[in-house]
Amino acid sequence: MTELAAPTDEALLAASIDGDRRAFTMLVERYRDELLHFLIRFLSSRAAAEDVFQDAFLQVHLSARSFDPERRFKPWLFTIAANKARDHYRRNQRKAPLSLSSSIGEQGDSESYVDLMTSDEPAPDLPMSESEQSGLVRDVVDRLPVHHREILLLSYFQKFSYNQIADALEIPLGTVKSRLHAAVANFAAAWKSARANAEADA
Amino acid sequence: MSIRPSNQPEPRLTLSPDDARVLDQIAENGFDESLLAGLSPPDRDRGDRLVGVMRRLDHYPVAAADTSLVDATMARIAQHDRRQQERFQLVGEEAQPRRWRPRWSDLFTVAALFLVGFGVLMPVVKRMREVSEQNACGANMASLGGAFSLFANDHDGILPASPDAPATWDVGRNSDHLVTLADGGYCEHGHLRCPGHDGIGHSYAYRMIAVPEAARLILLPKAPLVSDRNPMIDRAIQGKPVVNVLMPSNNHGGRGQQVLFGDVSVLWMTTPVVHIAGHPDDNFFLMRTAPDCEDLVRGAMPVDPDDHFLSQ
């Protein structure tokens, strides 16, 4: 007995356009965890993430007829969600997190390189509980600039290609690369600094 | 570690070119660790470190979502659809032309307005028509005045009369003499009809000639020659007594009559009485010898040449 293949995202969306409400529910269920986690990491707030999650799927519902069936559904969904998250972030204009490499003043035109091979970061097996590590990661990520956080999430968690990120964020490919490089460098430097502070406090 | 002066802007932090190159390879392949095996030993080390840095992101705490999020999302979509539908219904109802159904009060109102309008307009229209007919009648008289002059000029000054006059100078057929003017081409037959007279027969009363020698136009400059139809004759023929001796002609609703005089002037008169110097007031709708009209229909004729008497 062969198992029936699960319908693709695109097929579910097409069915929902034809009035199949169950198909749309399946789509929401399918992306429930992945999209919610993306939004929680983006917005640093579960409540905000759930709100934007609903907004994003409402937008999908309203714009379903404009979806190009030749393209993939997931990048489209995350593009909508990222836009909604950015709108939410702007509306709630919190104090913008400062870049870890620019705790004082503005960043200049010159670049400072982080070379992971030469950095003297602590060994990964230093003792640290899971909860301590989680709290530290959250602090570091939440303090990253929103455009760094956004590109890290799309690249690492959603595994978007550079081209997909460029489409989703509507920025040039070169900007995708330079922004991701900067995001990883900032994250690495911030982690190192946060870890050192944590060890000093211990 | 170098000390940076505090007044200088912080430099932008980014990966070294080697780290960036390896990151591009890993990121474009979805951070697939199996790819690292295919890299050169130095790049593999960089890749390991890069993946190690990125793996820390996995520790970001995210609690699992529960099914209520799906329910809440679907409920929100359903609510939005419901509101949208209600809005469309409202817009649709507003866009649809309302079918007007008359109520009794509407009908009464329209009927009342119609009656009021009718009541106001009808007298005005009637009055306008009367004035128009009165003016058209006066124009007929003026045409007849011209016809009298031309006829007199051609016939030694005499008034028009049918060839068998004076035998036919009698009440009821007197105006037949006027047809002589139209037959002779001095006026049109239409000029012999008052537009205000809707009965059969001639519309105008013509002077009854008692003394033929005196029936010359030039001798009668102040005398009435033609007028609207004589109402006394109409009543006498119907056997009705004369109640009001000053009764105007019926051609214009009893309001008066147009009168053509010997000097071819036309005058609108509300009573049939002329005032000629040296003579008593004379009612040209009555014969002095038959003041009660009873003799009018019996072939009576005026015996006094100064007795102005017009008859159809």
Side-chain angles (χ1 to χ4, degrees), chain A residues 21 36-37 55 61 101 106-108 110-116 121 130 134 142 156 162 181 191, chain B residues 9-10 12 14-16 19 24 28 46 49-50 53 55-56 58-60 63 65 67 74 76-77 81:
Chain A
R21 186 53 68 101
L36 183 67
H37 292 170
D55 269 353
H61 170 67
S101 61
E106 296 179 348
Q107 283 188 317
S110 60
E111 287 186 332
S112 173
Y113 292 122
V114 170
D115 192 319
L116 298 176
E121 68 171 277
E130 176 58 29
S134 291
D142 289 355
Y156 180 68
Y162 283 0
H181 299 164
W191 170 258
Chain B
E10 191 82 13
R12 284 190 295 126
T14 189
L15 289 178
S16 68
D19 281 346
D24 288 346
E28 278 284 49
R46 286 184 187 279
R49 290 225 173 196
L50 276 167
V53 168
R55 288 277 178 262
R56 293 185 188 119
D58 294 336
H59 294 283
Y60 193 103
T67 53
M74 296 308 295
R76 185 159 170 185
I77 289 170
D81 286 352

Side-chain angles (χ1 to χ4, degrees), chain A residues 6-44:
Chain A
T8 63
D9 298 343
E10 294 76 21
L12 289 174
L13 186 66
S16 77
I17 291 173
D18 293 337
D20 186 348
R21 186 53 68 101
R22 277 194 62 242
F24 197 84
T25 308
M26 282 176 69
L27 213 45
V28 177
E29 281 173 347
R30 189 173 284 183
Y31 282 97
R32 182 186 63 191
D33 289 333
E34 191 176 355
L35 184 60
L36 183 67
H37 292 170
F38 168 77
L39 291 169
I40 290 173
R41 292 181 182 112
F42 195 136
L43 296 166
S44 318

